[in-house]
């Protein structure tokens, strides 16, 4: 059973305020302080300090938080197993939009062929999925974006080219284009917090450029709408190859001397060994080393 003081510690990690922590937990502020002092004595380290009147976590608190979140996830799984009276195995999985809508279907079908398997499946941007992992709302997520490897463990699932897309009759179709040519176009991109946008912004930084330098920008959270706008000639975009190949009315292009390959990673809380659940969904392939 997770110590109630650890629960208090995790709430304080999130809100960084003793008063708010007390209100959320319906206890007094001195009780919060006392519980944190007990943990500091137990582990022999300082967990919080004030910097410019703001409560900050110490390095020791960062480490304890990672272990505590993993332990809370394990306890949650244990409680569910102990109270279950049926053989149904349930997974809670998240995926970013390209992966969820265009890549994972075969794995979902295979997993659900077993009538004893149940699934909660969330498709959203990388930022939301990582937050759901930390809040113990997901067992693992499959993302193509960046994540903090100090807070999450991961297993490589797949490598996929990241390509430009345009109308089939667009001057870019089938070509390598210069960064100056690209910037003269309307760029259609994902919202802030999405892995696809983060990758595009990183690639532009390699040319000392940014999204603000484009002739016109259109921000869309739906890949379906993005593909439709590109197909109708409203601009160009960058997506994963699996998505580009899904529409025969679109052509691909690339930036000169820049072939971008990105990883699809299975991500889960650090110190929370989820390999059994991952293999239940994917089989053993992702658990093997990739070249």
């Amino acid at each position: 059973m997770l110590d109630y003081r650890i629960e208090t510690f995790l709430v304080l990690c999130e809100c960084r305020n003793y008063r708010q922590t007390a209100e959320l937990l319906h206890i007094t502020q001195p009780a919060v302080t006392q519980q944190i002092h007990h943990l500091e004595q137990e582990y022999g380290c300082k967990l919080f300090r004030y910097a410019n009147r703001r409560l900050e976590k110490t390095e020791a608190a960062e480490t304890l938080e990672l272990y505590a979140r993993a332990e809370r996830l394990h306890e949650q799984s244990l409680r569910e197993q102990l109270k279950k009276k049926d053989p149904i195995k349930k997974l809670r999985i998240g995926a970013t939009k390209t992966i969820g809508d265009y890549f994972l279907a075969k794995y979902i079908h295979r997993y659900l062929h077993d009538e004893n398997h149940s699934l909660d499946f969330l498709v959203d941007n990388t930022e939301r999925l990582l937050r759901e992992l930390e809040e113990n709302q997901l067992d693992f997520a499959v993302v193509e974006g960046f994540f903090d490897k100090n807070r999450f463990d991961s297993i490589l699932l797949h490598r996929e080219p990241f390509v430009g897309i345009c109308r089939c009759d667009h001057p870019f179709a089938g070509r390598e284009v210069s960064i100056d040519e690209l910037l003269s176009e309307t760029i259609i991109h994902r919202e802030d917090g999405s892995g696809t946008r983060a990758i595009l912004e990183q690639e532009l930084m390699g040319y000392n450029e940014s999204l603000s330098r484009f002739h016109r920008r259109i921000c869309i959270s739906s890949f379906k709408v993005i593909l439709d706008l590109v197909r109708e000639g409203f601009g160009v975009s960058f997506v994963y190859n699996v998505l580009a190949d899904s529409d025969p009315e679109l052509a691909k292009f690339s930036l000169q001397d820049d072939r971008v390959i990105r990883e699809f990673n299975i991500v889960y809380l650090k110190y929370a060994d989820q390999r059994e659940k991952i293999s239940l969904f994917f089989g053993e392939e992702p658990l093997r080393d990739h070249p």
Side-chain angles (χ1 to χ4, degrees):
M1 182 176 183
L2 199 64
D3 191 297
Y4 68 92
R5 287 165 290 217
I6 291 293
E7 292 285 5
T8 299
F9 164 75
L10 287 173
V11 174
L12 185 57
C13 283
E14 291 172 4
C15 62
R16 312 284 181 89
N17 184 288
Y18 281 93
R19 180 183 57 79
Q20 290 179 14
T21 298
E23 290 174 354
L24 288 169
L25 295 174
H26 305 291
I27 59 178
T28 66
Q29 186 170 331
V32 174
T33 303
Q34 184 180 31
Q35 290 177 29
I36 298 303
H37 283 167
H38 175 89
L39 291 175
E40 290 177 332
Q41 292 174 352
E42 177 75 19
Y43 293 109
C45 60
K46 191 73 175 172
L47 295 174
F48 297 92
R49 64 168 60 96
Y50 282 97
N52 297 321
R53 297 185 178 183
R54 176 177 170 80
L55 191 67
E56 299 289 351
K57 292 182 288 186
T58 65
E59 186 175 341
E62 296 277 4
T63 301
L64 178 58
E65 182 186 9
L66 295 176
Y67 275 103
R69 289 188 183 280
E71 186 61 30
R72 187 167 65 179
L73 179 62
H74 288 314
E75 181 176 347
Q76 180 180 313
S77 297
L78 176 61
R79 288 180 180 273
E80 291 174 356
Q81 289 180 33
L82 291 176
K83 70 182 181 182
K84 281 175 60 174
K85 297 180 181 179
D86 57 60
I88 299 296
K89 294 181 179 179
K90 181 179 180 179
L91 291 179
R92 304 168 305 158
I93 301 173
T96 46
K97 293 189 176 183
T98 301
I99 296 171
D101 291 342
Y102 296 92
F103 186 78
L104 288 185
K106 64 178 180 181
Y107 297 105
I108 294 173
H109 296 168
R110 185 175 63 186
Y111 172 74
L112 292 178
H113 262 298
D114 189 324
E115 294 185 356
N116 290 324
H117 289 172
S118 179
L119 178 66
D120 284 352
F121 187 57
L122 171 67
V123 177
D124 213 310
N125 64 41
T126 302
E127 185 177 290
R128 164 85 186 280
L129 296 176
L130 297 180
R131 187 168 64 249
E132 293 288 309
L133 283 172
E134 292 202 309
E135 294 175 357
N136 299 123
Q137 299 303 307
L138 296 173
D139 297 314
F140 59 86
V142 190
V143 306
E144 86 277 3
F146 303 106
F147 57 93
D148 185 349
K149 293 188 177 181
N150 291 318
R151 300 188 67 82
F152 300 96
D153 283 329
S154 64
I155 297 171
L156 176 62
L157 176 64
H158 178 72
R159 290 188 176 96
E160 181 77 5
F162 190 66
V163 300
I165 55 171
C166 59
R167 279 175 58 112
C168 287
D169 60 355
H170 191 282
F172 286 5
R175 287 184 51 217
E176 286 190 352
V177 303
S178 69
I179 188 65
D180 290 335
E181 288 179 286
L182 180 64
L183 292 174
S184 68
E185 293 290 321
T186 295
I187 185 71
I188 306 171
H189 59 79
R190 289 282 308 283
E191 77 283 2
D192 193 22
S194 79
T196 305
R197 172 167 170 163
I199 291 166
L200 174 58
E201 288 179 324
Q202 186 194 45
E203 292 306 311
L204 291 171
M205 285 176 60
Y207 292 92
N208 198 29
E209 297 290 356
S210 66
L211 286 173
S212 64
R213 292 269 292 147
F214 276 86
H215 168 67
R216 183 169 66 149
R217 296 170 50 189
I218 301 173
C219 180
I220 304 289
S221 65
S222 164
F223 276 122
K224 182 178 183 300
V225 176
I226 288 175
L227 296 186
D228 180 66
L229 290 174
V230 173
R231 193 186 309 112
E232 294 299 319
F234 286 96
V236 301
S237 188
F238 283 84
V239 298
Y240 282 98
N241 194 66
V242 64
L243 181 55
D245 286 343
S246 70
D247 191 327
E249 295 184 43
L250 297 177
K252 291 183 277 189
F253 67 90
S254 61
L255 284 171
Q256 286 177 347
D257 304 317
D258 193 7
R259 185 168 183 264
V260 184
I261 306 292
R262 291 295 178 184
E263 297 179 349
F264 293 174
N265 281 296
I266 305 166
V267 179
Y268 52 99
L269 280 180
K270 202 168 190 67
Y271 308 122
D273 188 350
Q274 297 288 57
R275 286 176 293 180
E276 182 177 346
K277 291 182 177 181
I278 290 168
S279 63
L280 181 64
F281 185 76
F282 288 104
E284 294 298 322
E285 181 183 353
L287 303 182
R288 303 192 191 105
D289 291 334
H290 282 246

